[in-house]
Structure formats: C-alpha cells, structure tokens
Amino acid sequence: MAVDELDTRILHLLLEQPRTSVREYARILGVARGTLQARLDRLERDGVITGGGPSLSPAALGHPVLAFVHIEVTQGHLDDVGDALAAVPEIVEAFSITGGGDLLTRVVARDNAHLEDVIQKLISLPGVVRTRTEVALRERVPHRLLPLVESIGRAARG
C-alpha cells in the first residue's frame, strides 16, 4: 500500500499523541474531520494501523524478566507447536524464523525460576526438539515506529 505525506503526518500524530481525538488531529493537520476519518479507516483496512489499545508493560505487571527462546521443532510439527505456544500466557510473541531454530519467542517471567518453569513447559510440548534461551539484560532501543514513519514521510515528500 502506498503511504503519502498526509498519511505519514497522521501516523506521526497517532504515535506521538495517541490519546488525542480525531477532531483535534484534523485541526492540527489542517484537514477536514471527514478526510481524516476516511484516511484512518483506509489505513486500518489496509493493515497499516493494527491496533488502538494501550501499550502495556509486562514488568509493571510483575513480569520483569524478558527472554528470547529459540525453539527447534520436529519436521512437520511447526503448526502444532505454534498452536500450543498460544496457550502459554508468558509467551507474548512467537515467530517462524530462518537460521538456528524454527521459532523465536519472546517470553516474560516473574523471575529466573519462573522463566525456567516456562522453558520446561516449552520443552515438554509434543514436537519440540530443543530450546535455546537468551535473557535480555537491558532494553537499549524500545519498540518504536516513529523513526520509520518519519523516513517514509521524507521519501514521500520527494
């Protein structure tokens, strides 16, 4: 989907001021509210905007340990293991990957002992051959999309 300069300005505002009203966004951007709403609807329909809920902190919810667990899966069992991972609440993301392993998961835990329990649960899943875990020490670049949106906006301006 092509994103033009107005789209990137809208996305920029959504990222910087997520709790502002559509009316206020329209005023800031100098466009009609209907125009803005139509753009927002299209961006959602096209999958550019994928959510509007709050961003939550696992650490503030009592799960400060973050680990990345690589999972090697028996051939032909990737879908089954992926479905089983969805039932583990401590897994906040899982991706099929290339390279060393078949799946990469982002796991949160209350402490190291809890992390070990989660890993043992993963190892016991049918189809899991082995796991490899890397514990995150400190977040260096938080999840962000604003620099990407700004870069796309610069490219759209030409």
Side-chain angles (χ1 to χ4, degrees):
M1 179 214 142
V3 176
D4 66 15
E5 183 182 1
L6 178 56
D7 291 334
T8 61
R9 290 173 56 214
I10 292 168
L11 295 171
H12 188 274
L13 272 176
L14 287 173
L15 291 169
E16 279 202 327
Q17 302 174 34
R19 295 180 183 245
T20 302
S21 69
V22 172
R23 174 179 281 147
E24 182 62 12
Y25 288 143
R27 186 193 67 72
I28 293 168
L29 293 168
V31 299
R33 185 188 175 287
T35 299
L36 178 65
Q37 189 63 58
R39 292 289 185 117
L40 288 171
D41 292 344
R42 181 179 51 79
L43 290 166
E44 285 183 21
R45 189 174 51 254
D46 291 346
V48 175
I49 298 173
T50 58
S55 180
L56 304 178
S57 165
L61 291 169
H63 288 67
V65 176
L66 170 63
F68 298 93
V69 180
H70 299 258
I71 302 173
E72 187 177 322
V73 177
T74 304
Q75 283 190 333
H77 290 85
L78 190 60
D79 289 339
D80 296 334
V81 173
D83 292 343
L85 294 178
V88 180
E90 294 86 359
I91 294 179
V92 295
E93 288 182 301
F95 301 92
S96 299
I97 60 169
T98 62
D102 300 298
L103 293 163
L104 175 65
T105 63
R106 190 167 74 133
V107 177
V108 296
R110 292 184 302 273
D111 52 35
N112 287 343
H114 181 219
L115 176 61
E116 182 182 8
D117 293 342
V118 173
I119 293 166
Q120 291 301 320
K121 185 185 303 183
L122 298 179
I123 291 169
S124 71
L125 294 175
V128 172
V129 175
R130 73 178 49 88
T131 65
R132 182 177 50 112
T133 303
E134 298 165 350
V135 176
L137 299 176
R138 180 181 298 162
E139 183 177 65
R140 298 294 180 167
V141 177
H143 179 76
R144 67 204 178 120
L145 291 173
L146 187 55
L148 177 64
V149 168
E150 290 171 342
S151 173
I152 294 168
R154 285 190 298 275
R157 286 191 291 277

